[in-house]
Amino acid sequence: MISCFFTNHLRWLKIILPAAILAGMCVYSLIEGPRRAPFLSSCLLYPEYFDGCVVAATGCRVMAVGSDMFTVSHSGQNADIKGIIPGLEKGQYVDVLGRFHKEGWLELEKYHVSSRRARLIKLGVSLIPLAVVGYMLCISLRSIRAGR
């Protein structure tokens, strides 16, 4: 039974069916995603519509820190977040989960401060598959040039 997956019999169906499933999942995500977790930029554009919604903003850079609030930059827009994060400094990256208010600020509920070292490690690890694919591409191009 398993060997039928590795033959050319109904090859078009084996290509079209997973592609259709993937396209359907992408459309579902496009339709349902913003309703479940709105983007911070959408909340700032239409504050009355998103009043009281829980917003997740990841990869925010801290621009200013005050006594009871701080300002972050996310997707080119600045947002004020009311809440205290111990040891937070300007220039750090933070992931924030908060309740949006129509006045244009978030009430901090949960947070995660990312260290610079962790961000660099994540970047380095994500580049490993790119290097492997590039290496395999070079090997295949060499074999094509050699006429194999």
Side-chain angles (χ1 to χ4, degrees):
M1 181 70 180
I2 299 292
S3 64
C4 68
F5 291 114
F6 301 106
T7 64
N8 282 335
H9 182 67
L10 297 175
R11 180 174 58 177
W12 60 272
L13 185 63
K14 295 173 195 171
I15 294 170
I16 301 269
L17 189 62
I21 291 171
L22 181 62
M25 289 171 30
C26 289
V27 169
Y28 175 76
S29 175
L30 181 68
I31 292 170
E32 287 294 321
R35 261 190 267 164
R36 291 187 180 187
F39 298 114
L40 181 58
S41 57
S42 300
C43 293
L44 292 173
L45 285 175
Y46 307 106
E48 296 83 20
Y49 181 73
F50 292 105
D51 185 33
C53 287
V54 175
V55 179
T58 59
C60 299
R61 185 180 176 100
V62 178
M63 303 305 286
V65 179
S67 60
D68 65 340
M69 63 180 289
F70 56 97
T71 304
V72 296
S73 175
H74 181 70
S75 301
Q77 294 180 322
N78 291 344
D80 293 330
I81 301 175
K82 291 190 179 179
I84 299 171
I85 298 178
L88 187 66
E89 298 174 359
K90 181 179 176 182
Q92 287 183 317
Y93 287 89
V94 64
D95 301 329
V96 175
L97 182 70
R99 189 161 306 277
F100 185 78
H101 294 274
K102 65 182 174 186
E103 292 82 17
W105 55 275
L106 280 110
E107 180 183 351
L108 183 66
E109 291 184 5
K110 293 182 181 179
Y111 66 90
H112 176 262
V113 179
S114 300
S115 68
R116 180 167 171 78
R117 181 176 177 196
R119 290 181 61 84
L120 289 175
I121 289 172
K122 187 165 54 169
L123 179 66
V125 168
S126 64
L127 289 176
I128 291 172
L130 179 66
V132 169
V133 169
Y135 177 73
M136 292 170 61
L137 184 63
C138 289
I139 289 174
S140 66
L141 287 176
R142 284 182 187 167
S143 65
I144 289 172
R145 285 186 181 170
R148 296 180 192 166

